[in-house]
Amino acid sequence: MKLGWSDVTPKAMWLSRRAFVSGLGAMMAAPSLARASFSTDEAPNSFEEITNYNNFYEFGFGKEDPARYAHMLRPEPWAVAIDGLVERPGSYSVADLAPENTVEERIYRLRCVEGWSMVIPWLGVPLGPILERAGVQPGARYVAFETLLDPDQMPAQKTRSMPWPYVEGLRLDEAMHPLTILATGLYGEAMPNQNGAPIRLVVPWKYGFKSIKSIVRISLTEEQPPTTWQRLQPQEYGFYANVNPDVDHPRWSQATERRIGAGLFAGRQPTEMFNGYAEHVAHLYAGMDLARDY
Ligand SMILES: Nc1nc2c(c(=O)[nH]1)N[C@H]1C(S)=C(S)[C@@H](COP(=O)(O)O)O[C@H]1N2
Ligand SMILES: [Mo]
């Protein structure tokens, strides 16, 4: 017998979940005006490239390790907790957060801090309305995200190579920005395990490590949350991690990038400020010194 949500969820939580889910109708009625302009018209990478060249350290450090080992991940059933400074904390299924008929395509550039990039046709929903439905409390200033912790499904979590689980965070205004999505698929299909099934963050103007995969918890916080890469190497990886060709990594230049699949002789291409999304996001950082807040 398959358990329904009302069977496994305490009543108070179920009631708040019901309020959350019923908010969807109102949301679907509002057209997303800016949607079309968010997708790049650059040619997407192939499905093969997107699913065979990955960073997902829970499955190993090699670029081909996720494709080889991510079959161990069981993306169903899956629950995402939304908690912290919200009016309606609860446990939600992927279908609650991103009902199939609300999912839209976003073709985004992805720029890894290591200096390579891709163009990926994601499927997903904006994060902002999800947080609004959960009811952001006035004291909330940041959003913290957590990946699944289960060494049986994520074999590298049996090693101490990194602090597990992988965690990330955004400032609340970054999380609410319409470019920020929770992605549930790519190329019109459910999210491949190696890309962060069943649900992952995509923040296209930031280095790829901010786009945390296989999320099980989203917490609204007052304090800036810790992030995995800042914990590991704070002098190399900051909280903001905005793509910026003018602020080099201490060990390499960020001025250019290698587009995966472009071919051996294509050469490197210039990296764009905020990964090409400056017109949409530069205002978020007005007055900040981006060399200091890297
Ligand atoms: N949980 C988790 N999320 C993660 C990572 C990871 O190792 N673990 N790697 C990050 C990095 S460094 C990048 S570049 C992107 C890569 O996403 P992709 O493999 O779907 O292209 O995922 C990010 N999200
Ligand atoms: Mo990355």
Side-chain angles (χ1 to χ4, degrees):
M1 190 195 82
K2 193 169 177 288
L3 289 179
W5 269 101
S6 51
D7 299 316
V8 295
T9 311
K11 182 130 184 261
M13 210 180 240
W14 184 73
L15 286 173
S16 76
R17 176 179 168 272
R18 206 166 52 160
F20 179 96
V21 172
S22 67
L24 280 173
M27 197 189 78
M28 281 157 57
S32 171
L33 294 173
R35 180 186 325 191
S37 66
F38 285 158
S39 282
T40 174
D41 51 16
E42 285 174 80
N45 281 87
S46 70
F47 185 83
E48 280 290 295
E49 289 159 354
I50 294 167
T51 57
N52 285 283
Y53 189 93
N54 300 100
N55 277 335
F56 201 168
Y57 298 114
E58 287 83 341
F59 298 99
F61 282 96
K63 294 285 182 277
E64 293 168 8
D65 287 340
R68 193 172 306 144
Y69 299 115
H71 62 88
M72 296 175 72
L73 177 66
R74 295 187 302 273
E76 236 189 271
W78 195 271
V80 180
I82 301 184
D83 60 16
L85 300 174
V86 287
E87 305 296 343
R88 289 174 286 280
S91 177
Y92 301 99
S93 72
V94 173
D96 291 337
L97 301 178
E100 225 158 304
N101 57 346
T102 68
V103 163
E104 52 185 276
E105 181 167 73
R106 296 283 184 96
I107 306 173
Y108 282 165
R109 288 177 290 275
L110 176 97
R111 169 61 156 82
C112 175
V113 74
E114 298 162 336
W116 53 268
S117 65
M118 290 200 203
V119 176
I120 304 181
W122 302 110
L123 293 178
V125 294
L127 174 62
I130 291 174
L131 299 180
E132 269 166 14
R133 276 182 284 136
V136 178
Q137 292 181 7
R141 293 176 57 224
Y142 294 90
V143 186
F145 303 86
E146 217 176 281
T147 293
L148 176 71
L149 178 62
D150 182 351
D152 289 331
Q153 296 186 59
M154 297 182 152
Q157 289 180 340
K158 290 180 175 143
T159 74
R160 288 163 183 261
S161 53
M162 295 178 77
W164 311 112
Y166 193 102
V167 292
E168 257 304 336
L170 295 172
R171 222 170 51 189
L172 183 59
D173 58 343
E174 298 175 324
M176 298 302 291
H177 192 283
L179 277 170
T180 302
I181 60 169
L182 286 180
T184 53
L186 58 85
Y187 264 117
E189 292 181 25
M191 189 66 77
N193 285 2
Q194 57 266 50
N195 295 91
I199 190 161
R200 56 101 45 100
L201 186 69
V202 180
V203 193
W205 71 93
K206 293 178 178 284
Y207 289 119
F209 66 84
K210 298 295 292 182
S211 292
I212 179 173
K213 297 176 169 182
S214 303
I215 294 169
V216 293
R217 180 179 298 273
I218 299 174
S219 307
L220 280 287
T221 66
E222 186 184 344
E223 304 289 332
Q224 182 177 303
T227 72
T228 290
W229 283 99
Q230 219 180 4
R231 271 182 182 157
L232 280 166
Q233 292 285 4
Q235 65 284 19
E236 298 189 2
Y237 307 102
F239 178 80
Y240 284 94
N242 291 312
V243 174
N244 189 337
D246 303 326
V247 176
D248 287 337
H249 186 278
R251 292 184 280 128
W252 58 84
S253 164
Q254 294 290 27
T256 63
E257 64 199 57
R258 176 174 66 93
R259 179 62 55 82
I260 299 300
L264 264 182
F265 305 105
R268 297 176 71 87
Q269 63 187 69
T271 286
E272 293 178 77
M273 188 65 200
F274 296 113
N275 202 24
Y277 300 97
E279 60 171 313
H280 301 298
V281 301
H283 68 276
L284 298 176
Y285 310 101
M288 279 176 64
D289 176 354
L290 297 177
R292 204 199 56 180
D293 282 318
Y294 55 93

